[in-house]
Amino acid sequence: MDFYKQEIYGNILYTAYRTRSLVVSVSLLYSLFGVAAILYFADKGYAAIIAGVIIVGFSLWRINAVHQPVMLVTEKALLVAVPFWEMPLEKGAWAYWIHPSYLPVSYKKIIGFSDDWKILYIGTQQEGGMAQISIEGTYIPISDKKKIIAYIERKQKE
């Protein structure tokens, strides 16, 4: 996992976000969840207020996450956002939970995507020859998916 660094990966050519309808729907859902927590826990005592603050913090974190890019098509590699359930839990890994972190994948190693864009298949040099990476590509607009595939095919021909 890594953060985007222009000196390593080059310029960003395409940025794939989730569909606008999904972003708005999820943002509204978490906003309502946070407001409900504030209203419910407001007069229940200090422990309840702390629980409400934790719920509001979680809601804001998820709203921020849904607005982050899912894939970055750069000059040197495809950067795939790491789903939050795949984030490391070891000490010092807090930065991966706050800033968008990506898994760089060489264009030459990409075999393809699953039909639902939940899995990216890559070829490897080891026995078995193929690995899978969980991605959050289901809600990327079709036009962005076509651009990504076209660029990958172009880079593989070079």
Side-chain angles (χ1 to χ4, degrees):
M1 282 188 292
D2 200 2
F3 304 110
Y4 168 70
K5 296 175 187 132
Q6 184 175 5
E7 57 275 1
I8 296 173
Y9 303 112
N11 293 325
I12 297 174
L13 305 173
Y14 304 120
T15 304
Y17 291 93
R18 293 166 184 88
T19 59
R20 181 61 49 204
S21 60
L22 177 77
V23 170
V24 169
S25 300
V26 170
S27 297
L28 285 174
L29 177 71
Y30 280 116
S31 296
L32 292 174
F33 190 56
V35 168
I38 290 170
L39 294 175
Y40 180 75
F41 291 119
D43 59 351
K44 304 272 193 239
Y46 292 118
I49 290 173
I50 291 171
V53 168
I54 290 170
I55 292 172
V56 169
F58 174 79
S59 298
L60 291 173
W61 173 61
R62 294 312 307 152
I63 290 170
N64 179 53
V66 80
H67 283 82
Q68 298 301 325
V70 178
M71 288 183 196
L72 300 175
V73 177
T74 66
E75 295 171 336
K76 298 179 183 174
L78 177 68
L79 300 176
V80 181
V82 178
F84 81 93
W85 58 86
E86 302 272 340
M87 294 288 180
L89 295 175
E90 68 261 4
K91 184 178 179 181
W94 61 269
Y96 292 112
W97 287 84
I98 296 172
H99 302 292
S101 56
Y102 299 96
L103 182 67
V105 180
S106 170
Y107 292 116
K108 301 285 184 191
K109 292 185 178 182
I110 296 174
I111 296 173
F113 298 90
S114 64
D115 290 337
D116 57 2
W117 277 65
K118 289 185 179 182
I119 297 173
L120 172 64
Y121 298 106
I122 59 173
T124 62
Q125 298 297 327
Q126 61 196 18
E127 186 176 326
M130 187 171 70
Q132 300 180 37
I133 299 173
S134 295
I135 61 172
E136 297 183 50
T138 303
Y139 298 105
I140 296 174
I142 293 172
S143 60
D144 288 346
K145 290 178 183 178
K146 289 178 181 177
K147 286 181 190 176
I148 292 168
I149 290 172
Y151 190 76
I152 290 170
E153 289 173 349
R154 187 168 7 134
K155 288 298 275 189
Q156 287 178 341
K157 290 178 183 175
E158 290 180 358

